[in-house]
Amino acid sequence: MTMLDSLRSIVQEVNSARDFAGVLQIIVKRVRKTTATGVCSIYLHDPVSQKYVLAATEGLNPEAVGNIQLASGEGLVGLVAAKAEPINLDNAEAHPNFAFFPESGEERFRSFLGAPVIHHRKVLGVLVVQQAESRRFDESEEAFLVTVSAQLAGVIAHASATGQLTQQFSPDIAKSGNERIFKGVGSVPGISIGTAVLVTSPADLYAVPHRPAENIEEELELFQTALEHTKRDLRAVHSDLSERLNMEERALFDVYVSMLDDNSLGGEVRILIKAGLSAQTAWSEVIIEHIRNFSSMEDAYLRERATDVRDLGRRVLGYLQQSQVQQKEYPPDTILIGEELAAPNLADVSVEKVVGMVSAKGSRNSHLAILGRAMGIPTVMGAIDLPWRELDNCPVIVDGHQGLIIANPSRQMLRTYKAQIQEEKILAEDLERLRDEPSLTSDNQPIALWVNTGLRLDSLLSLDRGADGVGLYRTEIPFFMHERFPSEDEQRKIYREQLEMFAPRPVTMRTLDIGGDKALPYFPIEEANPFLGWRGVRISLDHPEIFLVQLRAIMRASEGFDNLRILIPMISNIPELESALELVYRVYDELTEEEGYQLKRPEVGAMIEVPAAVYQVRDIAKRVDFLSVGSNDLTQYLLAVDRNNPRVADLYHTYHPALLQALKAIVDGAREENCPVSICGEMAGDPVSAVLLVGMGYRVLSMSATNLLRVKAILRKVTIEQAQKLALRAMELDDSSHVLEFLESAFTDPEITRLYSRSRAKSA
Ligand code: PEP
Ligand code: MG
């Protein structure tokens, strides 16, 4: 096997390991074998003792695990950690840092190669191989160890975040049901306290919660029935397909059936059930173990058999779960938790019982988050380190402002959050009074506060908050709700409802902005870099049949209302804009001149959300009726930070000086061309940013309805001159944290600070 093959199969095995201890064991075993050395060990950093502790070994005395501990800089292992680079020695004993641990039997090993395990710049551990004879490990061995370490880093970081690492060092801490905090991406603001209900895709072997059997006899019976059903299915498939299968393939089905027998998988599972595990848990554990064994086989044919075992595993699990579906109960404070919660999951749940949602995968713009926003359910997405499988039934707090999930919250934590909920309630009641007040600065300058919509529900909320208009209607949202592209008439009805709800106030309909992270289930796009790929107007221009239908539907929908504005997303060059405009005007001319519709010519605008458009803002402004800044995308493209990737979420700064300069350049450029400009990214709904934007010259802010009254409240407390001074000063600073500090110190009135104190940290 080549090193690359070994690496691949190690990674595969690691991925199918059931727990963290299993991961460590796989690594030491496999690395020792691949490098043909005497010893492979992993030392992990214990955050409590601040030492690197021997956590797994193949070759040293197993009793030494947990007992050999080295501080950073101490011994060779500590030296690797302190220097954060590999150390390769052919005579370890001669090195001044060599530390001797008799309990390890280490004196037999003269050669030493250690590589640090680094995640996000922190040394989490050290991976070591040792050899009895004196020899220098060659470059390829060193590179191999570094590669394995890099792969291990993510797994260790995950174990650390999920508490498995603590368990490794001091199991008692983990067992005492203590509080755990996990980080994700706050996707729908708000706080909820409730009980986690695990939502799993049916028959997902890796999502089965670890449950003991309540009644062993019943579990055995359940298992027997599931096996019988599966065998019956397999035989049925076998006879249905018998004419189309050759002998070997037919034999495969027989193998499947016999694998379920008592002397094979069936027997293994029964032993575990009798030992006290539920049928589902026992079955998934046995199957996962077998998948792992097959995946690590050197023979490609046998490796492929892992797929068969997985398939068989799913079939039986499906039957085991059937009996459970009807029993699933949703408490009145349900917090849905899952690996990849999706909108269809809501179909099985009584939505009125759901107070919060958490998904390990997905992003702020995922379909689920969009629905969560519409329903006002605090939601955290992208909680990649969440041990969702273990949280079923667990008390949980969801903090949708900061993107936190707190499992097993302490009394103190609960008190803090209950107080926050109470504060939010009081604030919401106070803000309610501003609903019918005009949106003016304290020196009576009007600032238009518009809303971003997409669903009927958020439009209703927007009207309730007294929005002055719609700055961004995301037409792709109703497209998500279909199973194919909606027809012209279906679209017209949806758009007309929106235009009618807000008339005579303006409604800005953005043409389809799919691609990036917004894939339509019926129009999948596979790309390596979707945000830099086929998105927004690029798709519309490549598919005029889709674009023209949409434009017709939008314009026909506006008949009699005269409040339509059309907005084109993702403009990155002039020819693109001109082609889109040409199609818009063509549709308008056809509808009015040829088909006799009585339509006011809609205003047409371009989104400024790609850095290229900032530099060409005047060229764009000359050609359109208005501009709208998409600061969400502008931030991600300007700073090269994926807006949905939780790993780089710390770098997504809407107070970044470069972004502030870009925003200023846009508003100045637009003014020089006498072109109205608004901003519809999330920052427009952040109260402090709103002041900054007004100070720069923005007079139309479009935001999600939930933030509207807060923004109105803060703007009513500042004059234009104060906002301008703040903006000027903020723009002289060279780092987002300085901007934030400066703004923090600028507002001292508690009536103002309470409007943003929770949302501020995440947008800095
Ligand atoms: C933006 O990019 O800022 C924007 C408003 O559009 P979306 O979030 O839909 O990409
Ligand atoms: Mg955008």
Side-chain angles (χ1 to χ4, degrees), residues 510 513 535 607 609 633 643:
R510 180 174 70 182
D513 186 23
R535 258 201 93 177
M607 282 198 80
E609 53 183 345
D633 278 315
R643 63 194 262 189

Side-chain angles (χ1 to χ4, degrees), residues 257-550:
V257 173
S258 65
M259 277 166 84
L260 299 175
D261 283 348
D262 262 3
N263 50 6
S264 183
L265 298 174
E268 289 179 48
V269 174
R270 259 183 257 278
I271 292 173
L272 288 185
I273 297 177
K274 284 180 189 156
L277 285 184
S278 71
Q280 283 190 35
T281 309
W283 176 252
S284 67
E285 290 203 346
V286 166
I287 292 291
I288 288 171
E289 179 67 20
H290 281 276
I291 294 174
R292 195 156 64 75
N293 288 340
F294 276 115
S295 314
S296 62
M297 302 259 178
E298 284 182 22
D299 181 292
Y301 175 79
L302 288 175
R303 254 202 325 271
E304 268 305 299
R305 299 286 66 77
T307 319
D308 300 338
V309 179
R310 187 177 294 119
D311 178 66
L312 194 60
R314 287 216 187 107
R315 284 170 185 271
V316 176
L317 185 61
Y319 278 113
L320 288 174
Q321 288 175 334
Q322 258 184 14
S323 57
Q324 203 189 33
V325 174
Q326 300 87 5
Q327 295 164 12
K328 190 119 194 160
E329 286 207 2
Y330 294 94
D333 59 353
T334 293
I335 293 186
L336 294 181
I337 296 208
E339 184 183 23
E340 194 158 19
L341 277 190
N345 293 128
L346 294 178
D348 307 326
V349 186
S350 9
V351 174
E352 67 282 357
K353 291 187 175 168
V354 178
V355 299
M357 300 195 286
V358 180
S359 177
K361 291 191 182 158
S363 67
R364 190 174 279 141
N365 285 328
S366 299
H367 199 166
L368 183 88
I370 292 166
L371 289 177
R373 213 165 292 144
M375 297 185 291
I377 299 175
T379 302
V380 176
M381 307 288 293
I384 42 177
D385 289 324
L386 189 77
W388 45 273
R389 206 180 294 136
E390 286 147 41
L391 292 183
D392 199 23
N393 241 335
C394 179
V396 170
I397 298 175
V398 177
D399 178 344
H401 298 291
Q402 302 191 69
L404 299 179
I405 303 111
I406 299 136
N408 282 324
S410 62
R411 272 204 216 135
Q412 172 60 30
M413 187 67 88
L414 277 171
R415 255 199 305 277
T416 312
Y417 271 103
K418 279 184 181 160
Q420 271 192 32
I421 291 178
Q422 194 52 27
E423 249 175 62
E424 282 189 7
K425 210 170 141 220
I426 294 169
L427 177 60
E429 283 163 11
D430 289 353
L431 289 175
E432 202 50 42
R433 285 183 218 123
L434 289 181
R435 186 196 174 283
D436 296 318
E437 296 296 324
S439 165
L440 298 171
T441 54
S442 64
D443 53 339
N444 287 326
Q445 297 300 308
I447 309 291
L449 299 186
W450 292 4
V451 281
N452 298 344
T453 59
L455 283 168
R456 198 159 187 281
L457 274 167
D458 55 33
S459 302
L460 291 172
L461 184 63
S462 304
L463 288 168
D464 185 56
R465 299 283 151 96
D468 300 326
V470 176
L472 172 66
Y473 173 73
R474 291 181 164 102
T475 59
E476 59 277 5
I477 294 180
F479 275 63
F480 289 138
M481 311 296 168
H482 280 71
E483 282 169 358
R484 47 161 177 77
F485 281 106
S487 68
E488 181 177 326
D489 235 38
E490 282 169 336
Q491 290 186 48
R492 188 188 58 82
K493 283 198 192 104
I494 300 167
Y495 303 149
R496 190 162 177 83
E497 184 179 69
Q498 177 76 191
L499 289 158
E500 189 172 13
M501 273 169 123
F502 284 88
R505 286 163 285 192
V507 173
T508 313
M509 298 219 152
R510 180 174 70 182
T511 60
L512 205 57
D513 186 23
I514 52 171
D517 64 340
K518 290 183 283 191
L520 296 174
Y522 46 88
F523 192 67
I525 304 168
E526 290 289 333
E527 287 180 318
N529 285 305
F531 276 117
L532 301 182
W534 211 37
R535 258 201 93 177
V537 74
R538 299 173 183 178
I539 296 181
S540 294
L541 292 178
D542 287 350
H543 277 283
E545 79 286 11
I546 297 170
F547 191 40
L548 290 171
V549 165
Q550 181 174 39

Side-chain angles (χ1 to χ4, degrees), residues 10-22:
I10 293 176
V11 170
Q12 254 179 1
E13 258 195 76
V14 161
N15 286 343
S16 53
R18 181 85 212 198
D19 56 22
F20 185 54

Side-chain angles (χ1 to χ4, degrees), residues 692-762:
L692 210 57
L693 292 166
V694 167
M696 286 180 191
Y698 288 88
R699 294 293 176 267
V700 183
L701 309 177
S702 190
M703 62 202 72
S704 87
T706 8
N707 296 332
L708 195 137
L709 294 177
R710 281 173 206 257
V711 171
K712 191 189 266 190
I714 199 167
L715 293 178
R716 288 170 63 87
K717 301 250 180 215
V718 290
T719 64
I720 292 281
E721 201 189 328
Q722 282 168 336
Q724 280 169 340
K725 277 195 181 145
L726 271 182
L728 264 182
R729 179 76 188 95
M731 289 186 55
E732 284 165 5
L733 303 171
D734 61 5
D735 174 53
S736 52
S737 60
H738 299 155
V739 175
L740 180 65
E741 273 162 34
F742 164 68
L743 293 171
E744 267 179 352
S745 60
F747 298 106
T748 47
D749 177 355
E751 282 295 298
I752 296 185
T753 52
R754 74 174 184 147
L755 295 168
Y756 59 73
S757 50
R758 255 186 306 282
S759 56
R760 201 172 29 179
K762 88 177 144 58

